[in-house]
Amino acid sequence: MKVRDVAEAAGCSIGSVYNEFGDFDGLILTVNRETVQALTARLKAVPSDDPLRQLHGLADAYLGFATEHANLLRSLFEHRMEDDRPFPEDILAMVMDAFALMHAPLLRLLPDRDPDDVALLSRMMFSAVHGIISLGLEERMVAVPPEQLRERLAQFVDTHLAGLGVTRGA
Amino acid sequence: MKVRDVAEAAGCSIGSVYNEFGDFDGLILTVNRETVQALTARLKAVPSDDPLRQLHGLADAYLGFATEHANLLRSLFEHRMEDDRPFPEDILAMVMDAFALMHAPLLRLLPDRDPDDVALLSRMMFSAVHGIISLGLEERMVAVPPEQLRERLAQFVDTHLAGLGVTRGA
DNA sequence: GATTCTTCTTGAACAATGTTCATTTTCGAG
DNA sequence: CTCGAAAATGAACATTGTTCAAGAAGAATC
């Protein structure tokens, strides 16, 4: 993304882009804000009747979003601020909220665990899913072949749940 | 990293940097090559007597390396080539080899599984560990608090192994 | 040692891109 | 219509990757 391209696409001058977004970081962050909102909307649309199906649905929805908007997700997770400026709190909170969406179904599947522990488990599980997907979708690093990604991701979720003591179909 | 800084640090001219590395990509890739070699060396130094300890050791070694060289790892995984040039095969192979180091111990723990399946399981497990660590070490995204990362990573490995049918101490 | 050819080194100049700001345009208030 | 505030503009600047003609250094030959 280039400031001049944005200006041309918007049909305005370079200066106007700066009036609107402040600087390049502001431009990127505006995009990232929309990205995390779109991601969250998609994750929240996953049916929540059955917690097990929901967990699979969340992983699958994340995979779908990552497949369709690989570059947007990269911008969200890889962008560094200029001059070590702090990363905006609101985006941080939004990402954390998205990652916490695994909390509710996990809580239902693990009613006897310490809820704080489940909260961390859910973020960790989402981080793991994120890692598998982001490396799997890099064409260059065939950690997990993309065509198997969907199936393997489901397998991973099942395996991890089994390790947590959740018996399938319970 | 800037070409001019490298030239000054090396005590030579800008042009000499280009003679040596070709272009900026070449410079980055040289660094990335050393990074993956250092990472591999560290992972290979993990004792392999006990497969369970080895898996924990590999995860822990990766965490240690990521903690000490966060920016090097980011360069390795996040760098994009200019003009959509292909990513060098040799680095790709080296990263895949590093990721495959979980294969041997997993194979010992899962002797009855299809070896091809275990190969994929090991890469998936490493991808998951990578995701947990890389998001956990971003100060901005406290998916898993850094001070708990070591302990939680061990817990994750145990949980996943349990899900795969490995009973602790067997 | 002098000459010539090859190779390496240099850094000024160029290109691309984020950024600034004096100037101009726009537009509402009086 | 006039004036002043606000917004828009784009030329000019700063940074940084890149090129390449010119020069320096070295090797080979006589």
mmCIF file of all heavy atoms in Angstrom, chain A residues 12 14-23 26-27 30, chain D residues 7-8:
data_model
loop_
_atom_site.group_PDB
_atom_site.id
_atom_site.type_symbol
_atom_site.label_atom_id
_atom_site.label_comp_id
_atom_site.label_asym_id
_atom_site.label_seq_id
_atom_site.Cartn_x
_atom_site.Cartn_y
_atom_site.Cartn_z
ATOM 1 N N CYS A 12 -8.285 12.123 -4.595
ATOM 2 C CA CYS A 12 -7.925 13.348 -3.883
ATOM 3 C C CYS A 12 -6.410 13.497 -3.891
ATOM 4 O O CYS A 12 -5.703 12.694 -4.498
ATOM 5 C CB CYS A 12 -8.457 13.335 -2.459
ATOM 6 S SG CYS A 12 -7.653 12.116 -1.418
ATOM 7 N N ILE A 14 -2.467 13.962 -2.210
ATOM 8 C CA ILE A 14 -1.686 13.299 -1.169
ATOM 9 C C ILE A 14 -1.946 13.942 0.186
ATOM 10 O O ILE A 14 -2.135 13.261 1.185
ATOM 11 C CB ILE A 14 -0.190 13.374 -1.512
ATOM 12 C CG1 ILE A 14 0.071 12.618 -2.821
ATOM 13 C CG2 ILE A 14 0.654 12.817 -0.394
ATOM 14 C CD1 ILE A 14 1.481 12.771 -3.331
ATOM 15 N N GLY A 15 -1.961 15.271 0.174
ATOM 16 C CA GLY A 15 -2.156 15.989 1.429
ATOM 17 C C GLY A 15 -3.458 15.628 2.118
ATOM 18 O O GLY A 15 -3.525 15.540 3.343
ATOM 19 N N SER A 16 -4.494 15.397 1.333
ATOM 20 C CA SER A 16 -5.792 15.056 1.925
ATOM 21 C C SER A 16 -5.745 13.720 2.646
ATOM 22 O O SER A 16 -6.418 13.523 3.662
ATOM 23 C CB SER A 16 -6.862 15.026 0.846
ATOM 24 O OG SER A 16 -7.077 16.329 0.342
ATOM 25 N N VAL A 17 -4.967 12.814 2.103
ATOM 26 C CA VAL A 17 -4.808 11.523 2.776
ATOM 27 C C VAL A 17 -4.205 11.750 4.153
ATOM 28 O O VAL A 17 -4.630 11.141 5.140
ATOM 29 C CB VAL A 17 -3.906 10.584 1.943
ATOM 30 C CG1 VAL A 17 -3.649 9.289 2.701
ATOM 31 C CG2 VAL A 17 -4.548 10.288 0.598
ATOM 32 N N TYR A 18 -3.244 12.671 4.211
ATOM 33 C CA TYR A 18 -2.613 12.961 5.500
ATOM 34 C C TYR A 18 -3.560 13.684 6.439
ATOM 35 O O TYR A 18 -3.536 13.466 7.644
ATOM 36 C CB TYR A 18 -1.321 13.756 5.294
ATOM 37 C CG TYR A 18 -0.172 12.847 4.990
ATOM 38 C CD1 TYR A 18 0.044 12.387 3.701
ATOM 39 C CD2 TYR A 18 0.674 12.417 5.995
ATOM 40 C CE1 TYR A 18 1.083 11.515 3.416
ATOM 41 C CE2 TYR A 18 1.719 11.551 5.724
ATOM 42 C CZ TYR A 18 1.919 11.107 4.427
ATOM 43 O OH TYR A 18 2.933 10.245 4.160
ATOM 44 N N ASN A 19 -4.397 14.562 5.874
ATOM 45 C CA ASN A 19 -5.397 15.222 6.716
ATOM 46 C C ASN A 19 -6.342 14.197 7.333
ATOM 47 O O ASN A 19 -6.783 14.347 8.476
ATOM 48 C CB ASN A 19 -6.198 16.226 5.892
ATOM 49 C CG ASN A 19 -5.377 17.447 5.557
ATOM 50 O OD1 ASN A 19 -4.377 17.732 6.216
ATOM 51 N ND2 ASN A 19 -5.785 18.172 4.521
ATOM 52 N N GLU A 20 -6.633 13.170 6.594
ATOM 53 C CA GLU A 20 -7.614 12.176 7.044
ATOM 54 C C GLU A 20 -7.013 11.172 8.023
ATOM 55 O O GLU A 20 -7.634 10.822 9.023
ATOM 56 C CB GLU A 20 -8.176 11.440 5.816
ATOM 57 C CG GLU A 20 -9.289 10.470 6.130
ATOM 58 C CD GLU A 20 -10.576 11.156 6.579
ATOM 59 O OE1 GLU A 20 -10.755 12.344 6.239
ATOM 60 O OE2 GLU A 20 -11.380 10.499 7.270
ATOM 61 N N PHE A 21 -5.797 10.699 7.724
ATOM 62 C CA PHE A 21 -5.245 9.589 8.501
ATOM 63 C C PHE A 21 -4.030 9.958 9.350
ATOM 64 O O PHE A 21 -3.533 9.116 10.087
ATOM 65 C CB PHE A 21 -4.879 8.431 7.567
ATOM 66 C CG PHE A 21 -6.054 7.880 6.799
ATOM 67 C CD1 PHE A 21 -6.240 8.183 5.463
ATOM 68 C CD2 PHE A 21 -6.994 7.067 7.436
ATOM 69 C CE1 PHE A 21 -7.329 7.671 4.761
ATOM 70 C CE2 PHE A 21 -8.074 6.564 6.740
ATOM 71 C CZ PHE A 21 -8.247 6.866 5.403
ATOM 72 N N GLY A 22 -3.563 11.181 9.245
ATOM 73 C CA GLY A 22 -2.428 11.582 10.066
ATOM 74 C C GLY A 22 -1.101 11.187 9.466
ATOM 75 O O GLY A 22 -0.300 12.035 9.092
ATOM 76 N N ASP A 23 -0.860 9.901 9.368
ATOM 77 C CA ASP A 23 0.377 9.430 8.737
ATOM 78 C C ASP A 23 0.158 8.006 8.223
ATOM 79 O O ASP A 23 -0.965 7.498 8.243
ATOM 80 C CB ASP A 23 1.559 9.505 9.709
ATOM 81 C CG ASP A 23 1.307 8.675 10.953
ATOM 82 O OD1 ASP A 23 0.269 8.008 11.016
ATOM 83 O OD2 ASP A 23 2.145 8.700 11.860
ATOM 84 N N GLY A 26 -1.380 5.592 10.613
ATOM 85 C CA GLY A 26 -2.811 5.832 10.765
ATOM 86 C C GLY A 26 -3.611 5.164 9.661
ATOM 87 O O GLY A 26 -4.709 4.637 9.890
ATOM 88 N N LEU A 27 -3.038 5.172 8.474
ATOM 89 C CA LEU A 27 -3.683 4.536 7.331
ATOM 90 C C LEU A 27 -3.771 3.024 7.537
ATOM 91 O O LEU A 27 -4.841 2.414 7.421
ATOM 92 C CB LEU A 27 -2.869 4.870 6.076
ATOM 93 C CG LEU A 27 -3.436 4.524 4.710
ATOM 94 C CD1 LEU A 27 -4.803 5.143 4.520
ATOM 95 C CD2 LEU A 27 -2.482 5.014 3.632
ATOM 96 N N THR A 30 -6.150 2.032 10.306
ATOM 97 C CA THR A 30 -7.560 2.112 9.907
ATOM 98 C C THR A 30 -7.978 0.837 9.183
ATOM 99 O O THR A 30 -9.053 0.276 9.452
ATOM 100 C CB THR A 30 -7.772 3.328 8.985
ATOM 101 O OG1 THR A 30 -7.419 4.518 9.693
ATOM 102 C CG2 THR A 30 -9.230 3.418 8.550
ATOM 103 P P DA D 7 -11.769 21.565 8.617
ATOM 104 O OP1 DA D 7 -12.745 20.580 9.117
ATOM 105 O OP2 DA D 7 -10.450 21.715 9.268
ATOM 106 O "O5'" DA D 7 -11.528 21.296 7.068
ATOM 107 C "C5'" DA D 7 -12.548 21.613 6.128
ATOM 108 C "C4'" DA D 7 -12.002 21.520 4.719
ATOM 109 O "O4'" DA D 7 -11.192 22.688 4.436
ATOM 110 C "C3'" DA D 7 -11.116 20.296 4.477
ATOM 111 O "O3'" DA D 7 -11.527 19.659 3.287
ATOM 112 C "C2'" DA D 7 -9.701 20.889 4.371
ATOM 113 C "C1'" DA D 7 -9.989 22.278 3.817
ATOM 114 N N9 DA D 7 -8.978 23.283 4.151
ATOM 115 C C8 DA D 7 -8.489 23.600 5.384
ATOM 116 N N7 DA D 7 -7.593 24.555 5.379
ATOM 117 C C5 DA D 7 -7.477 24.893 4.047
ATOM 118 C C6 DA D 7 -6.681 25.849 3.374
ATOM 119 N N6 DA D 7 -5.824 26.662 3.990
ATOM 120 N N1 DA D 7 -6.808 25.934 2.029
ATOM 121 C C2 DA D 7 -7.668 25.117 1.415
ATOM 122 N N3 DA D 7 -8.481 24.182 1.940
ATOM 123 C C4 DA D 7 -8.333 24.121 3.272
ATOM 124 P P DA D 8 -10.867 18.304 2.809
ATOM 125 O OP1 DA D 8 -11.931 17.414 2.329
ATOM 126 O OP2 DA D 8 -9.911 17.851 3.849
ATOM 127 O "O5'" DA D 8 -10.025 18.780 1.541
ATOM 128 C "C5'" DA D 8 -10.657 19.610 0.582
ATOM 129 C "C4'" DA D 8 -9.654 20.052 -0.466
ATOM 130 O "O4'" DA D 8 -8.811 21.084 0.088
ATOM 131 C "C3'" DA D 8 -8.723 18.940 -0.950
ATOM 132 O "O3'" DA D 8 -8.669 18.976 -2.367
ATOM 133 C "C2'" DA D 8 -7.377 19.277 -0.304
ATOM 134 C "C1'" DA D 8 -7.450 20.793 -0.182
ATOM 135 N N9 DA D 8 -6.671 21.338 0.936
ATOM 136 C C8 DA D 8 -6.712 20.969 2.242
ATOM 137 N N7 DA D 8 -5.918 21.653 3.032
ATOM 138 C C5 DA D 8 -5.303 22.556 2.160
ATOM 139 C C6 DA D 8 -4.347 23.572 2.380
ATOM 140 N N6 DA D 8 -3.823 23.859 3.568
ATOM 141 N N1 DA D 8 -3.956 24.282 1.301
ATOM 142 C C2 DA D 8 -4.477 24.000 0.103
ATOM 143 N N3 DA D 8 -5.387 23.068 -0.211
ATOM 144 C C4 DA D 8 -5.762 22.380 0.871
#
